[in-house]
Short mmCIF file of all heavy atoms in Angstrom, two decimals:
data_model
loop_
_atom_site.label_atom_id
_atom_site.label_comp_id
_atom_site.label_asym_id
_atom_site.label_seq_id
_atom_site.Cartn_x
_atom_site.Cartn_y
_atom_site.Cartn_z
N LEU A 1 1.96 -14.68 2.18
CA LEU A 1 2.29 -13.22 2.14
C LEU A 1 1.03 -12.38 2.50
O LEU A 1 1.06 -11.39 3.20
CB LEU A 1 2.83 -12.86 0.76
CG LEU A 1 3.43 -11.46 0.60
CD1 LEU A 1 4.58 -11.24 1.59
CD2 LEU A 1 3.89 -11.29 -0.83
N MET A 2 -0.13 -12.81 1.98
CA MET A 2 -1.38 -12.11 2.23
C MET A 2 -1.73 -12.13 3.69
O MET A 2 -2.16 -11.12 4.27
CB MET A 2 -2.51 -12.77 1.42
CG MET A 2 -2.44 -12.56 -0.06
SD MET A 2 -2.98 -10.98 -0.66
CE MET A 2 -1.50 -9.98 -0.48
N SER A 3 -1.47 -13.25 4.36
CA SER A 3 -1.82 -13.32 5.80
C SER A 3 -0.88 -12.42 6.60
O SER A 3 -1.28 -11.82 7.60
CB SER A 3 -1.70 -14.79 6.31
OG SER A 3 -0.39 -15.27 6.12
N GLN A 4 0.39 -12.30 6.16
CA GLN A 4 1.33 -11.41 6.85
C GLN A 4 0.86 -9.95 6.72
O GLN A 4 0.89 -9.20 7.67
CB GLN A 4 2.75 -11.53 6.28
CG GLN A 4 3.42 -12.88 6.55
CD GLN A 4 4.77 -12.97 5.89
OE1 GLN A 4 5.46 -11.91 5.66
NE2 GLN A 4 5.19 -14.15 5.55
N LEU A 5 0.48 -9.54 5.51
CA LEU A 5 0.01 -8.20 5.31
C LEU A 5 -1.25 -7.92 6.07
O LEU A 5 -1.44 -6.85 6.64
CB LEU A 5 -0.24 -7.98 3.82
CG LEU A 5 0.97 -7.89 2.92
CD1 LEU A 5 0.54 -7.83 1.42
CD2 LEU A 5 1.86 -6.70 3.23
N SER A 6 -2.13 -8.94 6.20
CA SER A 6 -3.35 -8.76 6.91
C SER A 6 -3.11 -8.58 8.38
O SER A 6 -3.72 -7.77 9.06
CB SER A 6 -4.27 -9.97 6.67
OG SER A 6 -5.48 -9.86 7.35
N SER A 7 -2.18 -9.40 8.92
CA SER A 7 -1.91 -9.32 10.36
C SER A 7 -1.16 -8.01 10.73
O SER A 7 -1.31 -7.51 11.82
CB SER A 7 -1.03 -10.55 10.82
OG SER A 7 0.19 -10.52 10.11
N ALA A 8 -0.37 -7.50 9.73
CA ALA A 8 0.32 -6.24 10.03
C ALA A 8 -0.69 -5.09 10.14
O ALA A 8 -0.45 -4.16 10.93
CB ALA A 8 1.27 -5.95 8.85
N GLY A 9 -1.78 -5.14 9.38
CA GLY A 9 -2.83 -4.19 9.49
C GLY A 9 -2.49 -2.82 8.87
O GLY A 9 -1.36 -2.45 8.79
N GLY A 10 -3.56 -2.13 8.44
CA GLY A 10 -3.40 -0.75 7.95
C GLY A 10 -2.65 -0.61 6.66
O GLY A 10 -2.01 -1.53 6.23
N GLY A 11 -2.75 0.53 6.02
CA GLY A 11 -1.98 0.80 4.82
C GLY A 11 -2.74 0.42 3.57
O GLY A 11 -3.48 -0.55 3.49
N PHE A 12 -2.53 1.20 2.57
CA PHE A 12 -3.07 0.94 1.21
C PHE A 12 -2.36 -0.25 0.57
O PHE A 12 -1.11 -0.33 0.63
CB PHE A 12 -2.81 2.24 0.36
CG PHE A 12 -3.12 2.08 -1.05
CD1 PHE A 12 -4.37 2.32 -1.61
CD2 PHE A 12 -2.11 1.75 -1.94
CE1 PHE A 12 -4.60 2.23 -2.96
CE2 PHE A 12 -2.32 1.64 -3.32
CZ PHE A 12 -3.59 1.87 -3.84
N VAL A 13 -3.11 -1.15 -0.02
CA VAL A 13 -2.54 -2.28 -0.73
C VAL A 13 -3.12 -2.39 -2.10
O VAL A 13 -4.35 -2.44 -2.26
CB VAL A 13 -2.77 -3.61 0.04
CG1 VAL A 13 -2.18 -4.81 -0.72
CG2 VAL A 13 -2.21 -3.58 1.44
N ALA A 14 -2.26 -2.38 -3.08
CA ALA A 14 -2.67 -2.55 -4.49
C ALA A 14 -1.87 -3.71 -5.07
O ALA A 14 -0.85 -4.12 -4.51
CB ALA A 14 -2.45 -1.29 -5.31
N ALA A 15 -2.35 -4.25 -6.19
CA ALA A 15 -1.65 -5.38 -6.80
C ALA A 15 -1.59 -5.14 -8.31
O ALA A 15 -2.50 -4.53 -8.88
CB ALA A 15 -2.36 -6.69 -6.49
N VAL A 16 -0.49 -5.57 -8.90
CA VAL A 16 -0.37 -5.60 -10.34
C VAL A 16 0.06 -6.95 -10.78
O VAL A 16 0.92 -7.61 -10.14
CB VAL A 16 0.58 -4.53 -10.85
CG1 VAL A 16 1.98 -4.73 -10.25
CG2 VAL A 16 0.71 -4.55 -12.38
N VAL A 17 -0.56 -7.51 -11.81
CA VAL A 17 -0.19 -8.84 -12.33
C VAL A 17 0.08 -8.73 -13.82
O VAL A 17 -0.63 -8.04 -14.54
CB VAL A 17 -1.30 -9.88 -12.09
CG1 VAL A 17 -1.56 -10.05 -10.60
CG2 VAL A 17 -2.61 -9.44 -12.73
N ASN A 18 1.18 -9.35 -14.24
CA ASN A 18 1.56 -9.32 -15.65
C ASN A 18 2.03 -10.74 -16.02
O ASN A 18 3.22 -10.98 -16.23
CB ASN A 18 2.70 -8.29 -15.83
CG ASN A 18 3.14 -8.17 -17.28
OD1 ASN A 18 2.35 -8.56 -18.19
ND2 ASN A 18 4.29 -7.56 -17.51
N PRO A 19 1.07 -11.67 -16.08
CA PRO A 19 1.40 -13.09 -16.35
C PRO A 19 1.71 -13.34 -17.77
O PRO A 19 1.43 -12.50 -18.68
CB PRO A 19 0.15 -13.83 -15.88
CG PRO A 19 -0.95 -12.85 -16.17
CD PRO A 19 -0.40 -11.48 -15.93
N ALA A 20 2.16 -14.56 -18.06
CA ALA A 20 2.34 -15.03 -19.43
C ALA A 20 0.94 -15.31 -20.02
O ALA A 20 -0.02 -15.16 -19.34
CB ALA A 20 3.22 -16.26 -19.45
N ARG A 21 0.94 -15.76 -21.27
CA ARG A 21 -0.33 -16.00 -21.92
C ARG A 21 -1.22 -17.03 -21.24
O ARG A 21 -2.43 -17.07 -21.34
CB ARG A 21 -0.05 -16.52 -23.39
CG ARG A 21 0.43 -15.44 -24.32
CD ARG A 21 0.79 -15.95 -25.69
NE ARG A 21 1.16 -14.87 -26.57
CZ ARG A 21 0.43 -14.47 -27.62
NH1 ARG A 21 -0.70 -15.09 -27.92
NH2 ARG A 21 0.84 -13.50 -28.42
N ALA A 22 -0.54 -17.91 -20.42
CA ALA A 22 -1.30 -18.95 -19.69
C ALA A 22 -2.14 -18.35 -18.58
O ALA A 22 -2.95 -19.05 -18.01
CB ALA A 22 -0.33 -19.99 -19.13
N GLY A 23 -1.95 -17.08 -18.28
CA GLY A 23 -2.72 -16.44 -17.21
C GLY A 23 -2.27 -16.80 -15.82
O GLY A 23 -1.18 -17.45 -15.63
N LEU A 24 -3.00 -16.46 -14.82
CA LEU A 24 -2.69 -16.70 -13.44
C LEU A 24 -3.27 -18.07 -12.97
O LEU A 24 -4.32 -18.48 -13.38
CB LEU A 24 -3.30 -15.62 -12.51
CG LEU A 24 -2.74 -14.19 -12.65
CD1 LEU A 24 -3.56 -13.26 -11.81
CD2 LEU A 24 -1.27 -14.11 -12.26
N HIS A 25 -2.51 -18.73 -12.13
CA HIS A 25 -2.97 -19.96 -11.50
C HIS A 25 -4.21 -19.56 -10.65
O HIS A 25 -4.28 -18.51 -10.05
CB HIS A 25 -1.86 -20.53 -10.60
CG HIS A 25 -2.13 -21.91 -10.11
ND1 HIS A 25 -2.99 -22.19 -9.05
CD2 HIS A 25 -1.66 -23.11 -10.55
CE1 HIS A 25 -3.00 -23.47 -8.84
NE2 HIS A 25 -2.23 -24.08 -9.70
N HIS A 26 -5.19 -20.52 -10.57
CA HIS A 26 -6.43 -20.20 -9.90
C HIS A 26 -6.23 -19.94 -8.37
O HIS A 26 -6.95 -19.16 -7.77
CB HIS A 26 -7.42 -21.35 -10.06
CG HIS A 26 -7.06 -22.63 -9.39
ND1 HIS A 26 -7.41 -22.89 -8.09
CD2 HIS A 26 -6.34 -23.72 -9.85
CE1 HIS A 26 -6.96 -24.13 -7.77
NE2 HIS A 26 -6.30 -24.61 -8.77
N LYS A 27 -5.11 -20.49 -7.85
CA LYS A 27 -4.83 -20.20 -6.42
C LYS A 27 -4.36 -18.76 -6.22
O LYS A 27 -4.55 -18.14 -5.19
CB LYS A 27 -3.76 -21.17 -5.87
CG LYS A 27 -4.31 -22.64 -5.74
CD LYS A 27 -3.24 -23.53 -5.14
CE LYS A 27 -3.76 -24.96 -4.97
NZ LYS A 27 -2.75 -25.83 -4.39
N VAL A 28 -3.65 -18.22 -7.26
CA VAL A 28 -3.23 -16.81 -7.18
C VAL A 28 -4.45 -15.88 -7.20
O VAL A 28 -4.58 -14.96 -6.47
CB VAL A 28 -2.25 -16.50 -8.34
CG1 VAL A 28 -1.86 -15.01 -8.29
CG2 VAL A 28 -1.03 -17.40 -8.25
N VAL A 29 -5.35 -16.18 -8.17
CA VAL A 29 -6.61 -15.40 -8.25
C VAL A 29 -7.37 -15.48 -6.96
O VAL A 29 -7.87 -14.49 -6.44
CB VAL A 29 -7.45 -15.93 -9.40
CG1 VAL A 29 -8.77 -15.18 -9.46
CG2 VAL A 29 -6.73 -15.79 -10.74
#
């Protein structure tokens, strides 16, 4: 998904994460 957004170009991109207590997988980070 990140590569698609990057190839599309332009535009403000923000992210919000609300994981469980186990946190985010290191690949997500």
Side-chain angles (χ1 to χ4, degrees):
L1 190 59
M2 291 281 85
S3 61
Q4 291 179 27
L5 290 174
S6 180
S7 62
F12 169 89
V13 179
V16 58
V17 297
N18 184 16
R21 287 174 177 249
L24 294 173
H25 192 282
H26 68 90
K27 290 184 180 179
V28 178
V29 177

